[in-house]
Amino acid sequence: MKHLQFIDEYGSFSIKQPENTSYLYFPLASETGLKSSLTPNLGGDSKTDQETFLLEPVSAENLHNNRSVRNFWLVCEKEGIFSATGASAKQEAVKFTALQDQSKITAGFMWHTLERFSSALSLETRITSFIPVNDNVEIMHITVRNQSDSTKDLIPYAAIPIYGRSADNIRDHRNVTSMLHRIRTDSNGVFVRPTMSFDERGHRPNTKIYYVCGCSGSGQAPESFYPTVEDFLGEGGTYTHPRAVCENYSGVPAGTTAAGKEAMGAFRFPRIRLAPGKEAEYILLLGVEGTHEGIARIYEKYNSPDKVRKSLEITKSWWKEKVNTGFHTGDADFDRLMKWICFQPFLRRLFGCSFLPHHDYGRGGRGWRDLWQDCLSLLLMDPNGVGQMIEKNFGGVRIDGTNATIIGDGDGNFIADRNGISRVWMDHALWPQMTTKLYIDQTGDIDILNRQAPYFKDAQSDRGTQIDTLWDAGQGNLLRTEDNNIYTGTILEHLLIQQLTAFYEVGGHNIYRLRGADWNDALDMASEHGESVAFTFAYTGNLRELASMIRLLESRSPVKETKLTEELRILLNDDPELFENTADKINLLASYTQSCRHRVSGRRFSVPLSELAENLEHKADWLTGYLKDHEWIDGGADEGWFNSYYDNHGRAVEGFFPNEVRMILTGQVFAIMGNVASEQQIRKIVNSADHYLYQKEIGGYRLNTDFHELKFDMGRMFGFAYGEKENGAVFSHMTVMYANALYRRGFAKEGWKALKTLAETALDFDTSRIYPGIPEYFRSDGRGMYHYLTGAASWFMMTMITQVFGVRGEAGDLILAPRLMAEQFDDQGKASVSLVFAGKKLDVIYENPDRKDSGAYKVSSSFCEGQKLQTDKLGRAVLPRRMLDTLSGGRHRIIVKLN
Ligand code: G1P
C-alpha cells in the first residue's frame, strides 16, 4: 500500500505515521494575512509578516527538533502522560518501535487533521487545524476519546509558546526582546503585548497583542495558567518533559500579570471523567490582533464546537471553489495532484516567496517575475480584475526599460531602491509581455495596448549603470516631463521600450548581456562580460509576438497608428548593418537612456502600426539568423543543442569540454519557445537533453550537467553541490517551460514526457517525501525541495490547460486544440477539463473512442450545448466570443469528438 493516499477528488489525502518522514510541512493561511506551517507533530511557525511572528520562526533544519510548538497534553492519573501531538519525551523514545503511537494526517486545502492513538493509554485524539478565510486566527479543534473499557480521569493542558515579535530577533537580541513582553492571563487564555518593536534603526511603540486562548467543548474556561516558559517547564524542564505537566502543579489564576520573560500560552483545564467510548472536545485559538476587543470578537466567534465546525466547512468550500479548475484523465492520482498544483498559485500569493520552512529568505515581498507569473494562473482561474492589475503593474517599468524591484503591498505599489546602484535582471522585461499576451488571448481585450500607464522613477538611471543626481525622493516615484507634468504612455509604449532597450544592450558576442542575472538568479557573477544567449532566444520570440499583437490591434481598431514618446524614435532603427555592430548598438542605447535620464520631453510622434510590427519582425528575423549561425553546438548525427551563456571571460559555457559535456536546459527551452530552433534542431535538442540531462527517477530533466568547476566567472550556482537548486537539480519551473515550449512547437509526446516525469516523482512519496504538489526542485536523491511556493505551479497549470488540453483563448475566441496522448484518456476514451473562460463555467470533454495518440487524431466534430462548432483551417474547434457571450447561468458542456 502506498504511504500517501488521496481520499477525494479535490486532492484531500491521508498519510500514516507522517512523523517518520523528515522535513514534512503543510501550509495554512487566511486571506487577511495569517500564515502558518504545520509539521506532523504540529511544529512549524505562524506569522502575519516579517515583524509579526506569533510562533518562533523556523527553517527546514529546525524541523527535526521542532517539538516546542503546539502541544496538547493529557495527564492520565494511572497510566501517565500523553501528548496529542506526539511531542513528549516518552513518545519520542518509542518512535520506530512496536510501541509507537499510531498516527495519521488527513489534509485538504487549508485544513489539517492529526489523529493519534496510544495503545498504552487506549486514548484516541484528533486535532483539526485551520485558519478561517477572513480572520487572523489559527484554530485547533481537539477531540479526546476514551477507547478503553474503563472510565478515565484526565487533566488536559494546552501548551503553546508565544514568540510575539519580529523574525529578525531570532538571533538579534532574542533575550533582550523578551524583556519587552508584558503578559496577562485572561479568563480564557494568555495575552502578550510587547512594549515596542525592537529595531536599532528606530524602535517603535507596539500595539499588537499575541494570544493563545481556549475553552472546552462545553464552554469551560481553563482553571490555571502558566504564562511564562519558566512557569510551565519548571527548573530544568523541557518542552517534551515539562514539569507543570509531569508533576501536575498549579499555575496562576486568571487576571495575573508577568513581564520581561519568554511568554507561554499554557493553561490547564479542569479534570474530566471520560466513560468508555466517550469524547471530550477542546478549542484553542492562537492569533494576533490590534486590540483586546478584537480578541474578544474572535473568541466569541469560535468558542464552541458547532461554531468551529461551521467555520471549517466554510473554509473548505471557499478554497475548493477558488480552485475552480479540474482535470479528468486516465490517471485519477494525476488529476488530484493537479488540484494541488492549481492551489499553489494562491499559496504563493499569500506567502510570497518567504514564510515556509525552506523559504527562510526574503521579508515576505514578491519579486517582479513572481508578480507577473502569479497573474498567469489568475487569468486562468479568477480573471476578474486581472486587466487592471496588469495595467497597474506596468507602472513599475522605468523609461530605460528596467523596472522597480521592490514591490509594496497592493497592486502597482513600487518602492525606490535606496541602496546606490542596484542589480538589473536581464529577463525582467520578458514576463510582462508574456502575461499581457495571455490576457489578450483569453479576453480579446487588445485595447489594453492603448491604455495609459505612468513610468516608475527613482535615482536609478541608464539601465542601472548611473544615478540620476537631479532626482530626489521629494519628486515622487513617477516620471515627469520637462514641464513637470506626470508622463504617461500607452502599455504598448511600455512594451516597446522594454523589448527594444534589451535589443541594444549587447556584450562582446552581440548577444544580450547577462547583467545581474537572468531567470536563473544564481548566475550572479558575470555582470561585466556575461551574456545570456538563453534569454536572447526568449526576447527574439517576444519581438515576434509583440509584432503580432500590434497587427491584431491594427486589424481591430479604426486608428492605424500609435503615438510614442519622441525619445523612443532612435530605438526604431531598422538598419541591418547596425544590428551587426556591437559598439554602435551600445552607443545608440546610451543616447536613448541619456535623453530620458531625468525627464522626458513630453513630445510624441506618430507611427503606423504596420510599420512598427514590421520593424520588430526585422529585428526578430535578424536575431534568429544570427543565433542559428553562432550558437549551435553540433553533437553528431542525431544530437546538438544551443549554447546558453557566455561567462565573465567571454567564453561559451556549453559544449564538449576535456572532462565532461556541458549542457544547460535554459537555452534549449527558449530557442524552442522563441521559434528560433528549427524542427530538425528540436529533434536533436530532445535527443541531447535525453542523453545528458534526463534522469527518470528524480523528476526528469535536470537544469544542467555537472561542470565539475566552481566557475567564479559565472555565478553562485556552481558553488552549490551538484544536484541542488540551480546547479543541476530537476528545477520544476524550467522543466515545465521546456514542456510548454515543446507543446507549442507540436512536440506533444516529448512535452508530455517532461510533465509526466515531474508528476510521477512528486506523487511517488517514497522518493519525493512531500505532500501532493509540485516542489521548486527535486534534488539528486529525488526529494522534493522548497515545496509549494514556486512559479512552476502557474506554468504547469497553464501548460496543462492551454497546451495539453489545448483549451485557450485566441484574441478572445475559445480554441480547442488537444494534444493529449492516448494514455491520458480514460477507459472510455474520454478526457475533460473544467474551467472558467470568459466568465462562463465550461466542461470541455474530449472523446477519443479509439484512444489514438496526439497527431493520429483530428477534431471530427464539436458541440457547445448541442450547437455545432466550426473547425478552422488548422483543424481546431472554435467557439467564437459572441457565442460564448450568449451562454447564461450554470455550467456548459462542450463536447469535442476526435477521430
Ligand atoms: C525561484 C524564483 C524565481 C527564479 C528561480 C530561478 O523559482 O522564485 O524568480 O527565477 O528561482 O532562480 P521558483 O521558486 O519560482 O520555482
Side-chain angles (χ1 to χ4, degrees), residues 558-595:
V559 187
K560 302 294 177 198
E561 49 184 37
T562 189
K563 284 199 166 66
L564 302 171
T565 184
E566 190 182 66
E567 290 81 356
L568 191 154
R569 201 191 287 267
I570 76 169
L571 297 178
L572 293 176
N573 190 309
D574 197 19
D575 176 4
E577 268 180 43
L578 176 107
F579 299 168
E580 297 284 346
N581 189 320
T582 308
D584 286 355
K585 276 165 134 171
I586 297 168
N587 288 335
L588 186 149
L589 178 63
S591 320
Y592 170 73
T593 54
Q594 277 159 29
S595 72

Side-chain angles (χ1 to χ4, degrees), residues 541-553:
N542 257 24
L543 284 168
R544 206 169 272 127
E545 279 197 335
L546 184 54
S548 74
M549 281 151 74
I550 293 171
R551 290 197 188 281
L552 178 68
L553 176 66

Side-chain angles (χ1 to χ4, degrees), residues 348 353 369-370 519-522 726 731 733 776 789-792:
R348 165 100 144 208
C353 295
R369 219 176 274 139
D370 313 323
W519 167 88
N520 188 336
D521 290 330
E726 283 95 345
F731 208 97
H733 192 185
E776 180 183 83
L789 312 181
T790 165

Side-chain angles (χ1 to χ4, degrees), residues 439-621:
Y439 169 78
I440 293 170
D441 281 340
Q442 298 291 105
T443 60
D445 180 19
I446 184 75
D447 205 43
I448 191 172
L449 293 181
N450 286 328
R451 264 166 240 147
Q452 299 278 322
Y455 286 86
F456 182 72
K457 177 67 189 149
D458 58 2
Q460 312 289 325
S461 75
D462 299 73
R463 297 182 66 78
T465 60
Q466 305 280 329
I467 290 289
D468 170 11
T469 49
L470 298 176
W471 182 87
D472 61 59
Q475 296 168 24
N477 286 120
L478 297 175
L479 177 71
R480 290 174 181 268
T481 63
E482 278 161 11
D483 304 339
N484 204 23
N485 293 318
I486 289 169
Y487 176 75
T488 62
T490 59
I491 299 237
L492 174 58
E493 183 187 276
H494 285 69
L495 286 168
L496 283 167
I497 287 174
Q498 288 185 299
Q499 309 311 309
L500 290 171
T501 49
F503 178 77
Y504 293 101
E505 192 174 36
V506 289
H509 301 87
N510 206 352
I511 296 293
Y512 290 23
R513 281 183 60 194
L514 178 60
R515 304 294 315 271
D518 62 10
W519 167 88
N520 188 336
D521 290 330
L523 290 174
D524 54 353
M525 293 164 85
S527 63
E528 292 150 300
H529 304 295
E531 291 164 77
S532 172
V533 188
F535 278 83
T536 309
F537 289 125
Y539 278 107
T540 305
N542 257 24
L543 284 168
R544 206 169 272 127
E545 279 197 335
L546 184 54
S548 74
M549 281 151 74
I550 293 171
R551 290 197 188 281
L552 178 68
L553 176 66
E554 195 209 18
S555 72
R556 292 258 172 115
S557 92
V559 187
K560 302 294 177 198
E561 49 184 37
T562 189
K563 284 199 166 66
L564 302 171
T565 184
E566 190 182 66
E567 290 81 356
L568 191 154
R569 201 191 287 267
I570 76 169
L571 297 178
L572 293 176
N573 190 309
D574 197 19
D575 176 4
E577 268 180 43
L578 176 107
F579 299 168
E580 297 284 346
N581 189 320
T582 308
D584 286 355
K585 276 165 134 171
I586 297 168
N587 288 335
L588 186 149
L589 178 63
S591 320
Y592 170 73
T593 54
Q594 277 159 29
S595 72
C596 50
R597 179 177 291 169
H598 181 56
R599 293 193 165 170
V600 285
S601 62
R603 289 182 292 275
R604 299 177 207 248
F605 70 104
S606 285
V607 55
L609 289 167
S610 58
E611 193 182 310
L612 206 50
E614 219 171 283
N615 185 294
L616 301 180
E617 279 154 1
H618 289 165
K619 291 184 170 60
D621 290 345

